[in-house]
Amino acid sequence: FRAGFDIDAVNVIQAARHCSAPVLFGHAHDDQLVLCSHTRKLFEEYTGSKLINLFDGDHNSIRPKEFQDQAIAFLKKCFADAEKEDEDRRKEEAATRRSSPGVIPP
């Protein structure tokens, strides 16, 4: 219990239904430690922005370059999307301040 919870009590499928952060699932077809079906189920239940890549190999295989490239592109898109959302929020706040002088938005 070093982490402060019982790992056997965690229901990751249920938790996935309440997640919204972008995620890239990657899984090797021949992984015998964590089955591919588990990743597919997580992907199905995940409610946030998501991608999945199933590739050759096992649990400890080096991930293919295609997956590494996909991960880089995915992260770049996530950061670009977050930057745009932040910019849109700042513009909206500025417009609110201009239309309501003296009122500080929450």
Side-chain angles (χ1 to χ4, degrees):
F1 294 139
R2 274 184 14 191
F5 63 92
D6 179 1
I7 190 80
D8 293 325
V10 175
N11 183 333
V12 294
I13 300 296
Q14 183 178 7
R17 296 177 185 136
H18 304 283
C19 294
S20 60
V23 66
L24 170 61
F25 292 93
H27 202 104
H29 289 290
D30 296 323
D31 189 335
Q32 296 302 308
L33 184 61
V34 179
L35 299 180
C36 212
S37 59
H38 182 73
T39 298
R40 284 190 185 111
K41 182 67 174 169
L42 277 173
F43 180 78
E44 290 169 12
E45 297 293 332
Y46 198 83
T47 56
S49 175
K50 60 191 176 183
L51 286 176
I52 190 168
N53 187 320
L54 305 175
F55 41 81
D56 291 333
D58 61 30
H59 190 78
N60 295 310
S61 296
I62 294 174
R63 300 309 183 229
K65 179 159 180 13
E66 173 192 287
F67 179 67
Q68 294 172 21
D69 292 344
Q70 184 183 31
I72 291 167
F74 183 77
L75 288 171
K76 283 181 178 179
K77 182 184 180 323
C78 290
F79 285 122
D81 289 351
E83 189 174 325
K84 179 162 180 4
E85 288 174 14
D86 192 44
E87 181 182 327
D88 291 347
R89 182 188 49 78
R90 284 194 308 270
K91 285 179 182 176
E92 186 177 311
E93 288 173 356
T96 300
R97 282 193 301 274
R98 283 192 300 275
S99 66
S100 304
V103 177
I104 300 172

